[in-house]
Amino acid sequence: MLIELGMLLVKMVLTAAVVVTASVVAERSGPLLGGVIISLPISSGPGMFFLALQADDRFVADSVLYTLAMSAAIAVFLIVYPRLAVRFGAVASVGGALLVWCGVGYLVQLLPLQLWSALGLTLAAFAAAILVPRPPGLKPPPRPVGISGVELVGRALITGGIIASVVSISALIGPQATGVLMAFPTAFTAIAFIMHRRHGGPAAAATLLASTIGMLSFVAYLVALYSLIMPIGALPALGAALCVAAVASTAIALDGRRRARMRAARPNPEATP
């Protein structure tokens, strides 16, 4: 019993350290880079690592497949939250988006998925998230962003507790439920709630919306992970998939900066006398 509790504590601490560090950097980096950072597998990455240590490759692969499908629910979260955030408070906005996420998660568990069906579902959801018009009134958050010790501790307990608990009970709930819960939008929820309360809904919404395209790197990570688990094993596949995510995120960030420079260089017709 003590050994199991100790292992749970280790999982919580290591997962929380990764998530908290990444989310703090994201909040200090502005909407563009911050959005790319929080779209990395900062919570599911540690979770998949611990899962690979205790489960067989087939179980891990099946879990990854449902995490991939649940990325569609994250896209829906990114559609719903910003539209609530410009009108309502933090609790109502985050809570409403999470309720929709839970509804999609319940439906996903009922689907008999294959790689291409899960990928098609996710890409369709992100296409909708990218193409749907943005709500009016968005604004970037002020910089630098300060974070209190209480917020850091709270975020660590929530993120570490969720991922560590899911991994610990994975054998009881099965790969479908494990994969669904592994895709819980922990970083998005924490950043949305804290930034919403501190800087207002429009600023929090702008940061989360900036991660929509960046989430494609997370999708690439999951596709690579699922495709490589059975040929080379879960742990080597995880390392390779993280490299894929890093390359994809870097490319997205560089492309975003290029587009921003191009927009800044365009002449403003309203400024012409």
Side-chain angles (χ1 to χ4, degrees):
M1 185 66 178
L2 290 177
I3 295 177
E4 293 177 354
L5 290 176
M7 288 301 300
L8 178 62
L9 181 61
V10 170
K11 294 172 186 176
M12 288 180 61
V13 170
L14 292 179
T15 303
V18 173
V19 175
V20 169
T21 301
S23 57
V24 168
V25 173
E27 290 173 25
R28 294 178 179 271
S29 302
L32 177 61
L33 185 56
V36 172
I37 292 172
I38 61 176
S39 66
L40 290 168
I42 57 178
S43 58
S44 68
M48 288 298 177
F49 172 76
F50 290 121
L51 185 63
L53 291 179
Q54 69 181 47
D56 60 62
D57 290 347
R58 184 71 267 167
F59 188 101
V60 178
D62 290 342
S63 298
V64 171
L65 185 63
Y66 278 84
T67 301
L68 174 61
M70 276 304 294
S71 298
I74 298 177
V76 175
F77 181 95
L78 294 175
I79 293 174
V80 173
Y81 170 76
R83 283 147 189 84
L84 295 176
V86 296
R87 299 179 58 190
F88 303 105
V91 174
S93 301
V94 175
L98 285 177
L99 281 176
V100 175
W101 183 91
C102 290
V104 176
Y106 174 77
L107 295 176
V108 165
Q109 287 188 82
L110 305 178
L111 299 176
L113 294 175
Q114 300 294 328
L115 175 60
W116 296 112
S117 58
L119 180 59
L121 177 66
T122 294
L123 291 180
F126 275 104
I130 292 170
L131 295 176
V132 69
R134 295 192 170 197
L138 300 181
K139 61 179 182 180
R143 297 171 62 187
V145 178
I147 303 172
S148 70
V150 174
E151 291 170 343
L152 287 177
V153 172
R155 192 181 308 179
L157 291 174
I158 293 171
T159 56
I162 290 174
I163 298 299
S165 298
V166 170
V167 173
S168 298
I169 64 173
S170 59
L172 299 176
I173 62 177
Q176 289 92 341
T178 298
V180 167
L181 293 175
M182 200 73 75
F184 185 84
T186 310
F188 288 119
T189 300
I191 290 176
F193 187 76
I194 291 173
M195 294 189 70
H196 194 132
R197 294 188 63 185
R198 180 174 299 159
H199 304 298
T207 298
L208 262 66
L209 279 172
S211 70
T212 305
I213 295 178
M215 276 297 295
L216 296 177
S217 67
F218 181 68
V219 175
Y221 152 80
L222 291 172
V223 171
L225 180 56
Y226 179 81
S227 302
L228 293 173
I229 286 176
M230 298 311 295
I232 66 175
L235 287 176
L238 181 60
L242 289 173
C243 292
V244 170
V247 171
S249 293
T250 301
I252 291 171
L254 292 175
D255 182 67
R257 289 186 179 277
R258 180 185 63 83
R259 292 175 181 272
R261 287 196 298 267
M262 290 176 61
R263 287 194 297 268
R266 291 174 186 168
N268 186 359
E270 297 180 358
T272 304

